[in-house]
């Protein structure tokens, strides 16, 4: 996920760039390109590639990976750079067409430095989940909020409740969504938080992370309190998010979902999102590296 982080601690990064620490991983720059790296995910994630840094950045990423002993690089690569990354040992793991300005495709490309990182022990299970999700694509794609609950966009007065819900639902998370200060920072930048309420209490949440320049948006951070699950709130939230994102001129919506989550993958399949690939052993969630499925939908 690409997001601006709460500045928990300012350090000096690789080759002297300023960085922000997030858990054990950091966000920094090589030239005008943005990347995240660290031992928490045991990888480099090239989040934004600048044309000005291409193709020299490819060798710089290799050097950083070897120096730090990382077992994977995952790179978000615009179409113009795909072939050079392929020549340098990267595999296409997923892609989204017309991702940048409704014009240029993006490729999620992985390079592996250990044999174990390349292979998944859960391959058969996540293929089974994808087959089940495919059966749901013809189901009804609309949802109603059940009586007694209401949905609205959050504002800064809600940040303590937002952080509390995320703390209840997620024991650990790749970003500091448990912290009210982080929620405020993201609201000030490019996030919108959507919520479902009952009796003045948030019971379900989600967020949209917008890239206004490229007109794409990540649908993410879905959470429902345990006692309110089974009411279809995630589907309803996603429906409301799409409506709002169309108003804001976003053209492509996407998500990066845990490959072993039946519920999340089925929700996006049911809502008309297209599966476009799996990022193998990509993200550390609750202490384990998990593979992630990429889904997208033109808005």
């Amino acid at each position: 996920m690409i997001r601006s982080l709460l500045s928990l601690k300012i350090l000096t990064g690789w080759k002297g760039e300023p960085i922000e620490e997030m858990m054990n991983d950091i966000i920094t720059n090589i030239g005008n390109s943005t990347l995240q790296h660290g031992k928490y995910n045991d990888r480099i994630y090239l989040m934004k590639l600048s044309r000005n840094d291409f193709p020299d950045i490819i060798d710089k990423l290799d050097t950083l990976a070897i120096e730090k002993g990382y077992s994977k690089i995952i790179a978000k690569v615009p179409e113009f750079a795909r072939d050079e990354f392929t020549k340098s040992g990267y595999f296409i793991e997923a892609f989204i067409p017309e991702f940048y300005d409704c014009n240029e495709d993006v490729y999620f490309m992985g390079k592996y430095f250990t044999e174990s990182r390349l292979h998944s022990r859960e391959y058969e299970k996540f293929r089974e989940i994808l087959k089940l999700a495919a059966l749901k694509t013809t189901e009804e794609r609309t949802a109603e909020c059940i009586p007694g609950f209401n949905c609205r966009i959050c504002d800064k007065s809600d940040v303590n409740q937002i952080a509390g819900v995320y703390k209840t639902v997620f024991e650990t998370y790749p970003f500091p969504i448990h912290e009210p200060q982080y929620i405020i920072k993201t609201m000030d930048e490019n996030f919108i938080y959507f919520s479902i309420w009952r009796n003045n209490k948030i019971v379900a949440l989600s967020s949209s992370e917008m890239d206004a320049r490229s007109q794409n948006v990540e649908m993410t951070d879905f959470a429902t309190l345990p006692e309110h699950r089974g009411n279809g709130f995630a589907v309803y939230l996603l429906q409301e998010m799409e409506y709002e994102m169309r108003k804001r001129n976003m053209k492509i919506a996407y998500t990066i979902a845990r490959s072993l989550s039946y519920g999340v993958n089925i929700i996006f399949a049911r809502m008309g999102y297209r599966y476009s690939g799996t990022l193998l052993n990509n993200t550390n969630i609750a202490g384990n590296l998990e593979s992630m499925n990429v889904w997208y939908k033109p808005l």
Side-chain angles (χ1 to χ4, degrees), residues 162-175:
I162 294 170
V165 170
Y166 283 136
K167 186 177 292 186
T168 299
V169 174
F170 299 114
E171 181 179 352
T172 63
Y173 204 72
F175 296 90

Side-chain angles (χ1 to χ4, degrees), residues 259-272:
S259 67
L260 298 181
S261 171
Y262 283 90
V264 171
N265 287 281
I266 287 171
I267 285 168
F268 280 92
R270 176 182 167 189
M271 291 295 289

Side-chain angles (χ1 to χ4, degrees), residues 201-218:
K201 180 182 177 182
I202 296 177
V203 300
L205 282 166
S206 61
S207 73
S208 295
E209 181 184 1
M210 300 173 291
D211 183 343
R213 178 176 295 179
S214 295
Q215 295 180 292
N216 60 63
V217 56
E218 182 175 2

